[in-house]
Amino acid sequence: SSFPVLTSQSAGIIGMSYCAWPLIGAECGVNADVEKHLELGKKLLAAGQLADALSQFHAAVDGDPDNYIAYYRRATVFLAMGKSKAALPDLTKVIQLKMDFTAARLQRGHLLLKQGKLDEAEDDFKKVLKSNPSENEEKEAQSQLIKSDEMQRLRSQALDAFESGDYAAAIAFLDKILEVCVWDAELRELRAECFIKEGEPRKAISDLKAASKLKNDNTEAFYKISTLYYQLGDHELSLSEVRECLKLDQDHKRCFAHYKQVKKLNKLIESAEELIRDGRYTDATSKYESVMKTEPSIAEYTIRSKERICHCFSKDEKPVEAIRVCSEVLQMEPDNVNALKDRAEAYLIEEMYDEAIQDYETAQEHNENDQQIREGLEKAQRLLKQSQKRDYYKILGVKRNAKKQEIIKAYRKLALQWHPDNFQNEEEKKKAEKKFIDIAAAKEVLSDPEMRKKFDDGEDPLDAESQQGGGGNPFHRSWNSWQGFNPFSSGGPFRFKFHFN
């Protein structure tokens, strides 16, 4: 459809030697260079070397501005290159120079029909029929007239449907028209408006992008594309499109006002993401709270901001806050994999293993190839199993994200409380001995980074069953084996000494 319609008339003209034209044969000596350009251009066109052929036809037109064959061949190359806008003036020039050249008029009618210029196209087809056309040209012109008439009817129906608010019907009519009038920018803009009304912004963007290329200096299309991307939460693409608008018109009021808003929001989000990469989660949270204040009217920015705040709280080991914010996100988007993963991690810190497993399993349903989800689920399952045995964090009464100083402090307090020398009753003493050994074991595991990591991953480093290769548990010892052990010697200015009987 991009190539000209070759009729017997046009085929003969394209192949005709320049000097064989009766009216200008006498000028052969003067226009020998034009003849060479036309012949060479014809060979290059036949070989598919379009750029080189175009250069030859440019030279031919420059050498003889009244040579309609040079214009027609150049139009042929433009169409082969998909440059219909450039071809149209050349076809018009051909018709001005040779009114009865039906091939050029028929081809121009085709282009005008694609551009949606139905009245102009019909005029060309009617003139073809009046200019003694060949049989094929007559059939083609009549066929195109019928098609153009059908497009006129559909356009009228589309406009009526749009005016009455029946946007779905308008889209149906416009779909049919745009199959023929593929280069009609106005109809694409009209269909974009219908898509917006029907809640299909991405389809609207597709039509508006086409319209921005079909119509020169289409600032309105760029503005609408930018605002649609902005409403979808895609601030980066929004910024890119509004910049295109300002390139065409730097004083465009709506584009400039929108540009300032998008740029401000974009800067906040970029800054927040950089803070997250640096591990500065509190500062990043503050930035995302500013994002929500900057753009409170578009829900997408609130959801995305809360999703990232949820992530920050989870990474910053603030499980209560993370669970609260992640849950807010999941109320709006139940299948949000990022929020599910971050809430699952927060649940692990809170030792809510069943809930963590459920979140990981839900996330896995939507992204089964995510290694992070798979590893998180396996860890949660190990920790659940571990929690049913001995939990060193519970023994010391500290959170899973407790610092080493907190662990040592809790240990000292409990060791002092449960030291067997504090109990006289034999049964109470035995109970205290067992408790004291557990407290010492908990301190040993949780104050050693390597052992603590194993425990956090669901493996008890002091449990023979969970250790490969078996072996005894070095901490499953009697009370007597702890005689002389000073449980309060780990750091700090205080030293305690106990005497044992």
PDB file of all heavy atoms in Angstrom, residues 107-118 120-122 125 143-145 147-149 151 177 180-184:
ATOM      1  N   GLN A 107      -2.821   8.007  -7.539  1.00  0.00           N
ATOM      2  CA  GLN A 107      -1.948   7.779  -6.390  1.00  0.00           C
ATOM      3  C   GLN A 107      -2.147   8.853  -5.321  1.00  0.00           C
ATOM      4  O   GLN A 107      -2.180   8.567  -4.128  1.00  0.00           O
ATOM      5  CB  GLN A 107      -0.480   7.772  -6.834  1.00  0.00           C
ATOM      6  CG  GLN A 107       0.511   7.395  -5.719  1.00  0.00           C
ATOM      7  CD  GLN A 107       0.227   6.027  -5.143  1.00  0.00           C
ATOM      8  OE1 GLN A 107      -0.051   5.088  -5.859  1.00  0.00           O
ATOM      9  NE2 GLN A 107       0.265   5.918  -3.832  1.00  0.00           N
ATOM     10  N   ARG A 108      -2.318  10.101  -5.755  1.00  0.00           N
ATOM     11  CA  ARG A 108      -2.568  11.173  -4.774  1.00  0.00           C
ATOM     12  C   ARG A 108      -3.896  10.933  -4.053  1.00  0.00           C
ATOM     13  O   ARG A 108      -4.007  11.168  -2.846  1.00  0.00           O
ATOM     14  CB  ARG A 108      -2.578  12.539  -5.454  1.00  0.00           C
ATOM     15  CG  ARG A 108      -2.631  13.694  -4.445  1.00  0.00           C
ATOM     16  CD  ARG A 108      -2.542  15.045  -5.098  1.00  0.00           C
ATOM     17  NE  ARG A 108      -3.748  15.392  -5.856  1.00  0.00           N
ATOM     18  CZ  ARG A 108      -3.970  16.586  -6.398  1.00  0.00           C
ATOM     19  NH1 ARG A 108      -3.057  17.539  -6.280  1.00  0.00           N
ATOM     20  NH2 ARG A 108      -5.087  16.829  -7.073  1.00  0.00           N
ATOM     21  N   GLY A 109      -4.895  10.456  -4.780  1.00  0.00           N
ATOM     22  CA  GLY A 109      -6.181  10.129  -4.153  1.00  0.00           C
ATOM     23  C   GLY A 109      -6.029   9.092  -3.061  1.00  0.00           C
ATOM     24  O   GLY A 109      -6.642   9.200  -1.988  1.00  0.00           O
ATOM     25  N   HIS A 110      -5.205   8.084  -3.315  1.00  0.00           N
ATOM     26  CA  HIS A 110      -4.923   7.050  -2.300  1.00  0.00           C
ATOM     27  C   HIS A 110      -4.343   7.679  -1.032  1.00  0.00           C
ATOM     28  O   HIS A 110      -4.756   7.359   0.092  1.00  0.00           O
ATOM     29  CB  HIS A 110      -3.932   6.020  -2.849  1.00  0.00           C
ATOM     30  CG  HIS A 110      -4.547   4.947  -3.679  1.00  0.00           C
ATOM     31  ND1 HIS A 110      -5.265   3.904  -3.151  1.00  0.00           N
ATOM     32  CD2 HIS A 110      -4.566   4.760  -5.024  1.00  0.00           C
ATOM     33  CE1 HIS A 110      -5.686   3.107  -4.119  1.00  0.00           C
ATOM     34  NE2 HIS A 110      -5.278   3.605  -5.275  1.00  0.00           N
ATOM     35  N   LEU A 111      -3.353   8.550  -1.200  1.00  0.00           N
ATOM     36  CA  LEU A 111      -2.696   9.178  -0.045  1.00  0.00           C
ATOM     37  C   LEU A 111      -3.670  10.072   0.720  1.00  0.00           C
ATOM     38  O   LEU A 111      -3.686  10.075   1.958  1.00  0.00           O
ATOM     39  CB  LEU A 111      -1.487   9.991  -0.498  1.00  0.00           C
ATOM     40  CG  LEU A 111      -0.325   9.209  -1.129  1.00  0.00           C
ATOM     41  CD1 LEU A 111       0.818  10.165  -1.476  1.00  0.00           C
ATOM     42  CD2 LEU A 111       0.175   8.118  -0.196  1.00  0.00           C
ATOM     43  N   LEU A 112      -4.458  10.833  -0.011  1.00  0.00           N
ATOM     44  CA  LEU A 112      -5.431  11.719   0.641  1.00  0.00           C
ATOM     45  C   LEU A 112      -6.474  10.911   1.413  1.00  0.00           C
ATOM     46  O   LEU A 112      -6.905  11.309   2.500  1.00  0.00           O
ATOM     47  CB  LEU A 112      -6.114  12.608  -0.399  1.00  0.00           C
ATOM     48  CG  LEU A 112      -5.217  13.664  -1.067  1.00  0.00           C
ATOM     49  CD1 LEU A 112      -5.916  14.290  -2.270  1.00  0.00           C
ATOM     50  CD2 LEU A 112      -4.817  14.750  -0.055  1.00  0.00           C
ATOM     51  N   LEU A 113      -6.844   9.759   0.863  1.00  0.00           N
ATOM     52  CA  LEU A 113      -7.800   8.885   1.554  1.00  0.00           C
ATOM     53  C   LEU A 113      -7.190   8.369   2.855  1.00  0.00           C
ATOM     54  O   LEU A 113      -7.846   8.352   3.904  1.00  0.00           O
ATOM     55  CB  LEU A 113      -8.188   7.714   0.642  1.00  0.00           C
ATOM     56  CG  LEU A 113      -9.258   6.740   1.168  1.00  0.00           C
ATOM     57  CD1 LEU A 113     -10.570   7.460   1.451  1.00  0.00           C
ATOM     58  CD2 LEU A 113      -9.470   5.597   0.173  1.00  0.00           C
ATOM     59  N   LYS A 114      -5.921   7.985   2.827  1.00  0.00           N
ATOM     60  CA  LYS A 114      -5.239   7.506   4.043  1.00  0.00           C
ATOM     61  C   LYS A 114      -5.115   8.613   5.084  1.00  0.00           C
ATOM     62  O   LYS A 114      -5.138   8.361   6.279  1.00  0.00           O
ATOM     63  CB  LYS A 114      -3.853   6.965   3.696  1.00  0.00           C
ATOM     64  CG  LYS A 114      -3.884   5.603   3.018  1.00  0.00           C
ATOM     65  CD  LYS A 114      -2.472   5.053   2.849  1.00  0.00           C
ATOM     66  CE  LYS A 114      -2.514   3.632   2.306  1.00  0.00           C
ATOM     67  NZ  LYS A 114      -1.161   3.051   2.202  1.00  0.00           N
ATOM     68  N   GLN A 115      -4.985   9.846   4.609  1.00  0.00           N
ATOM     69  CA  GLN A 115      -4.886  10.984   5.529  1.00  0.00           C
ATOM     70  C   GLN A 115      -6.247  11.428   6.065  1.00  0.00           C
ATOM     71  O   GLN A 115      -6.317  12.293   6.927  1.00  0.00           O
ATOM     72  CB  GLN A 115      -4.219  12.167   4.827  1.00  0.00           C
ATOM     73  CG  GLN A 115      -2.737  11.966   4.568  1.00  0.00           C
ATOM     74  CD  GLN A 115      -2.091  13.166   3.918  1.00  0.00           C
ATOM     75  OE1 GLN A 115      -2.776  14.065   3.423  1.00  0.00           O
ATOM     76  NE2 GLN A 115      -0.770  13.205   3.915  1.00  0.00           N
ATOM     77  N   GLY A 116      -7.316  10.801   5.537  1.00  0.00           N
ATOM     78  CA  GLY A 116      -8.655  11.167   5.984  1.00  0.00           C
ATOM     79  C   GLY A 116      -9.200  12.413   5.310  1.00  0.00           C
ATOM     80  O   GLY A 116     -10.239  12.938   5.720  1.00  0.00           O
ATOM     81  N   LYS A 117      -8.521  12.885   4.267  1.00  0.00           N
ATOM     82  CA  LYS A 117      -9.010  14.046   3.515  1.00  0.00           C
ATOM     83  C   LYS A 117      -9.958  13.540   2.429  1.00  0.00           C
ATOM     84  O   LYS A 117      -9.614  13.465   1.235  1.00  0.00           O
ATOM     85  CB  LYS A 117      -7.829  14.824   2.920  1.00  0.00           C
ATOM     86  CG  LYS A 117      -6.919  15.416   4.010  1.00  0.00           C
ATOM     87  CD  LYS A 117      -5.717  16.117   3.404  1.00  0.00           C
ATOM     88  CE  LYS A 117      -4.830  16.702   4.509  1.00  0.00           C
ATOM     89  NZ  LYS A 117      -3.609  17.350   3.979  1.00  0.00           N
ATOM     90  N   LEU A 118     -11.153  13.163   2.875  1.00  0.00           N
ATOM     91  CA  LEU A 118     -12.081  12.419   2.023  1.00  0.00           C
ATOM     92  C   LEU A 118     -12.592  13.239   0.849  1.00  0.00           C
ATOM     93  O   LEU A 118     -12.697  12.725  -0.276  1.00  0.00           O
ATOM     94  CB  LEU A 118     -13.248  11.906   2.865  1.00  0.00           C
ATOM     95  CG  LEU A 118     -12.858  11.009   4.067  1.00  0.00           C
ATOM     96  CD1 LEU A 118     -14.091  10.571   4.833  1.00  0.00           C
ATOM     97  CD2 LEU A 118     -12.056   9.808   3.607  1.00  0.00           C
ATOM     98  N   GLU A 120     -11.152  15.775  -0.732  1.00  0.00           N
ATOM     99  CA  GLU A 120     -10.079  15.947  -1.713  1.00  0.00           C
ATOM    100  C   GLU A 120      -9.810  14.648  -2.462  1.00  0.00           C
ATOM    101  O   GLU A 120      -9.554  14.652  -3.677  1.00  0.00           O
ATOM    102  CB  GLU A 120      -8.805  16.432  -1.022  1.00  0.00           C
ATOM    103  CG  GLU A 120      -8.916  17.832  -0.430  1.00  0.00           C
ATOM    104  CD  GLU A 120      -7.664  18.233   0.323  1.00  0.00           C
ATOM    105  OE1 GLU A 120      -6.558  18.044  -0.242  1.00  0.00           O
ATOM    106  OE2 GLU A 120      -7.774  18.724   1.466  1.00  0.00           O
ATOM    107  N   ALA A 121      -9.845  13.526  -1.726  1.00  0.00           N
ATOM    108  CA  ALA A 121      -9.613  12.224  -2.354  1.00  0.00           C
ATOM    109  C   ALA A 121     -10.701  11.933  -3.391  1.00  0.00           C
ATOM    110  O   ALA A 121     -10.413  11.504  -4.518  1.00  0.00           O
ATOM    111  CB  ALA A 121      -9.579  11.126  -1.296  1.00  0.00           C
ATOM    112  N   GLU A 122     -11.949  12.191  -3.003  1.00  0.00           N
ATOM    113  CA  GLU A 122     -13.071  11.946  -3.921  1.00  0.00           C
ATOM    114  C   GLU A 122     -12.939  12.796  -5.181  1.00  0.00           C
ATOM    115  O   GLU A 122     -13.235  12.340  -6.294  1.00  0.00           O
ATOM    116  CB  GLU A 122     -14.394  12.238  -3.218  1.00  0.00           C
ATOM    117  CG  GLU A 122     -14.787  11.158  -2.215  1.00  0.00           C
ATOM    118  CD  GLU A 122     -16.109  11.456  -1.513  1.00  0.00           C
ATOM    119  OE1 GLU A 122     -16.790  12.416  -1.931  1.00  0.00           O
ATOM    120  OE2 GLU A 122     -16.446  10.733  -0.571  1.00  0.00           O
ATOM    121  N   PHE A 125     -10.496  11.082  -7.498  1.00  0.00           N
ATOM    122  CA  PHE A 125     -11.032   9.864  -8.118  1.00  0.00           C
ATOM    123  C   PHE A 125     -12.057  10.214  -9.216  1.00  0.00           C
ATOM    124  O   PHE A 125     -12.102   9.571 -10.272  1.00  0.00           O
ATOM    125  CB  PHE A 125     -11.666   8.958  -7.059  1.00  0.00           C
ATOM    126  CG  PHE A 125     -10.682   8.442  -6.036  1.00  0.00           C
ATOM    127  CD1 PHE A 125     -11.010   8.430  -4.675  1.00  0.00           C
ATOM    128  CD2 PHE A 125      -9.436   7.979  -6.417  1.00  0.00           C
ATOM    129  CE1 PHE A 125     -10.111   7.967  -3.736  1.00  0.00           C
ATOM    130  CE2 PHE A 125      -8.509   7.514  -5.470  1.00  0.00           C
ATOM    131  CZ  PHE A 125      -8.852   7.507  -4.125  1.00  0.00           C
ATOM    132  N   SER A 143     -13.761   1.929  -7.296  1.00  0.00           N
ATOM    133  CA  SER A 143     -13.634   1.202  -6.016  1.00  0.00           C
ATOM    134  C   SER A 143     -13.282   2.163  -4.881  1.00  0.00           C
ATOM    135  O   SER A 143     -13.849   2.090  -3.779  1.00  0.00           O
ATOM    136  CB  SER A 143     -12.560   0.125  -6.144  1.00  0.00           C
ATOM    137  OG  SER A 143     -12.258  -0.429  -4.889  1.00  0.00           O
ATOM    138  N   GLN A 144     -12.360   3.080  -5.142  1.00  0.00           N
ATOM    139  CA  GLN A 144     -11.939   4.025  -4.110  1.00  0.00           C
ATOM    140  C   GLN A 144     -13.028   5.057  -3.787  1.00  0.00           C
ATOM    141  O   GLN A 144     -13.145   5.496  -2.642  1.00  0.00           O
ATOM    142  CB  GLN A 144     -10.655   4.736  -4.543  1.00  0.00           C
ATOM    143  CG  GLN A 144      -9.446   3.820  -4.642  1.00  0.00           C
ATOM    144  CD  GLN A 144      -9.157   3.091  -3.350  1.00  0.00           C
ATOM    145  OE1 GLN A 144      -9.048   3.690  -2.292  1.00  0.00           O
ATOM    146  NE2 GLN A 144      -9.052   1.768  -3.420  1.00  0.00           N
ATOM    147  N   LEU A 145     -13.821   5.409  -4.769  1.00  0.00           N
ATOM    148  CA  LEU A 145     -14.944   6.311  -4.515  1.00  0.00           C
ATOM    149  C   LEU A 145     -15.957   5.675  -3.581  1.00  0.00           C
ATOM    150  O   LEU A 145     -16.484   6.327  -2.673  1.00  0.00           O
ATOM    151  CB  LEU A 145     -15.627   6.694  -5.833  1.00  0.00           C
ATOM    152  CG  LEU A 145     -15.149   7.963  -6.518  1.00  0.00           C
ATOM    153  CD1 LEU A 145     -15.825   8.134  -7.877  1.00  0.00           C
ATOM    154  CD2 LEU A 145     -15.412   9.202  -5.645  1.00  0.00           C
ATOM    155  N   LYS A 147     -15.324   3.321  -1.421  1.00  0.00           N
ATOM    156  CA  LYS A 147     -14.672   3.239  -0.104  1.00  0.00           C
ATOM    157  C   LYS A 147     -14.710   4.595   0.604  1.00  0.00           C
ATOM    158  O   LYS A 147     -14.995   4.678   1.807  1.00  0.00           O
ATOM    159  CB  LYS A 147     -13.224   2.776  -0.265  1.00  0.00           C
ATOM    160  CG  LYS A 147     -12.517   2.479   1.052  1.00  0.00           C
ATOM    161  CD  LYS A 147     -11.074   2.048   0.830  1.00  0.00           C
ATOM    162  CE  LYS A 147     -10.994   0.638   0.279  1.00  0.00           C
ATOM    163  NZ  LYS A 147      -9.583   0.180   0.178  1.00  0.00           N
ATOM    164  N   SER A 148     -14.445   5.656  -0.132  1.00  0.00           N
ATOM    165  CA  SER A 148     -14.449   7.000   0.452  1.00  0.00           C
ATOM    166  C   SER A 148     -15.841   7.375   0.949  1.00  0.00           C
ATOM    167  O   SER A 148     -15.990   7.969   2.034  1.00  0.00           O
ATOM    168  CB  SER A 148     -13.968   8.012  -0.580  1.00  0.00           C
ATOM    169  OG  SER A 148     -13.938   9.303  -0.033  1.00  0.00           O
ATOM    170  N   ASP A 149     -16.846   7.015   0.178  1.00  0.00           N
ATOM    171  CA  ASP A 149     -18.230   7.291   0.571  1.00  0.00           C
ATOM    172  C   ASP A 149     -18.577   6.553   1.862  1.00  0.00           C
ATOM    173  O   ASP A 149     -19.231   7.098   2.755  1.00  0.00           O
ATOM    174  CB  ASP A 149     -19.180   6.868  -0.561  1.00  0.00           C
ATOM    175  CG  ASP A 149     -20.623   7.252  -0.262  1.00  0.00           C
ATOM    176  OD1 ASP A 149     -20.887   8.454  -0.080  1.00  0.00           O
ATOM    177  OD2 ASP A 149     -21.467   6.338  -0.184  1.00  0.00           O
ATOM    178  N   MET A 151     -16.430   5.710   4.181  1.00  0.00           N
ATOM    179  CA  MET A 151     -15.700   6.381   5.261  1.00  0.00           C
ATOM    180  C   MET A 151     -16.438   7.644   5.713  1.00  0.00           C
ATOM    181  O   MET A 151     -16.478   7.951   6.909  1.00  0.00           O
ATOM    182  CB  MET A 151     -14.276   6.750   4.801  1.00  0.00           C
ATOM    183  CG  MET A 151     -13.367   5.560   4.511  1.00  0.00           C
ATOM    184  SD  MET A 151     -13.230   4.394   5.902  1.00  0.00           S
ATOM    185  CE  MET A 151     -14.269   3.046   5.315  1.00  0.00           C
ATOM    186  N   ILE A 177     -12.885   3.057  10.374  1.00  0.00           N
ATOM    187  CA  ILE A 177     -12.364   4.159   9.554  1.00  0.00           C
ATOM    188  C   ILE A 177     -10.842   4.125   9.520  1.00  0.00           C
ATOM    189  O   ILE A 177     -10.223   4.263   8.460  1.00  0.00           O
ATOM    190  CB  ILE A 177     -12.815   5.538  10.095  1.00  0.00           C
ATOM    191  CG1 ILE A 177     -14.338   5.617  10.198  1.00  0.00           C
ATOM    192  CG2 ILE A 177     -12.304   6.657   9.202  1.00  0.00           C
ATOM    193  CD1 ILE A 177     -14.826   6.849  10.926  1.00  0.00           C
ATOM    194  N   VAL A 180      -8.660   2.232   7.126  1.00  0.00           N
ATOM    195  CA  VAL A 180      -8.457   2.832   5.799  1.00  0.00           C
ATOM    196  C   VAL A 180      -7.703   4.162   5.923  1.00  0.00           C
ATOM    197  O   VAL A 180      -6.688   4.383   5.270  1.00  0.00           O
ATOM    198  CB  VAL A 180      -9.813   3.059   5.090  1.00  0.00           C
ATOM    199  CG1 VAL A 180      -9.610   3.768   3.748  1.00  0.00           C
ATOM    200  CG2 VAL A 180     -10.533   1.729   4.895  1.00  0.00           C
ATOM    201  N   CYS A 181      -8.214   5.032   6.800  1.00  0.00           N
ATOM    202  CA  CYS A 181      -7.613   6.373   6.977  1.00  0.00           C
ATOM    203  C   CYS A 181      -6.543   6.313   8.068  1.00  0.00           C
ATOM    204  O   CYS A 181      -6.653   6.971   9.116  1.00  0.00           O
ATOM    205  CB  CYS A 181      -8.697   7.391   7.329  1.00  0.00           C
ATOM    206  SG  CYS A 181     -10.065   7.419   6.156  1.00  0.00           S
ATOM    207  N   VAL A 182      -5.513   5.524   7.809  1.00  0.00           N
ATOM    208  CA  VAL A 182      -4.515   5.220   8.850  1.00  0.00           C
ATOM    209  C   VAL A 182      -3.702   6.436   9.280  1.00  0.00           C
ATOM    210  O   VAL A 182      -3.114   6.444  10.364  1.00  0.00           O
ATOM    211  CB  VAL A 182      -3.562   4.093   8.384  1.00  0.00           C
ATOM    212  CG1 VAL A 182      -4.278   2.772   8.320  1.00  0.00           C
ATOM    213  CG2 VAL A 182      -2.936   4.436   7.038  1.00  0.00           C
ATOM    214  N   TRP A 183      -3.639   7.481   8.433  1.00  0.00           N
ATOM    215  CA  TRP A 183      -2.812   8.658   8.748  1.00  0.00           C
ATOM    216  C   TRP A 183      -3.649   9.854   9.180  1.00  0.00           C
ATOM    217  O   TRP A 183      -3.177  10.990   9.133  1.00  0.00           O
ATOM    218  CB  TRP A 183      -1.959   9.045   7.540  1.00  0.00           C
ATOM    219  CG  TRP A 183      -1.026   7.956   7.098  1.00  0.00           C
ATOM    220  CD1 TRP A 183      -0.455   6.989   7.874  1.00  0.00           C
ATOM    221  CD2 TRP A 183      -0.558   7.718   5.767  1.00  0.00           C
ATOM    222  NE1 TRP A 183       0.337   6.157   7.130  1.00  0.00           N
ATOM    223  CE2 TRP A 183       0.301   6.587   5.816  1.00  0.00           C
ATOM    224  CE3 TRP A 183      -0.774   8.340   4.538  1.00  0.00           C
ATOM    225  CZ2 TRP A 183       0.926   6.072   4.687  1.00  0.00           C
ATOM    226  CZ3 TRP A 183      -0.131   7.826   3.406  1.00  0.00           C
ATOM    227  CH2 TRP A 183       0.706   6.701   3.481  1.00  0.00           C
ATOM    228  N   ASP A 184      -4.873   9.618   9.610  1.00  0.00           N
ATOM    229  CA  ASP A 184      -5.753  10.720  10.024  1.00  0.00           C
ATOM    230  C   ASP A 184      -5.503  11.031  11.504  1.00  0.00           C
ATOM    231  O   ASP A 184      -5.974  10.320  12.398  1.00  0.00           O
ATOM    232  CB  ASP A 184      -7.219  10.339   9.796  1.00  0.00           C
ATOM    233  CG  ASP A 184      -8.157  11.536   9.956  1.00  0.00           C
ATOM    234  OD1 ASP A 184      -7.877  12.393  10.819  1.00  0.00           O
ATOM    235  OD2 ASP A 184      -9.167  11.601   9.234  1.00  0.00           O
TER     236      ASP A 184
END
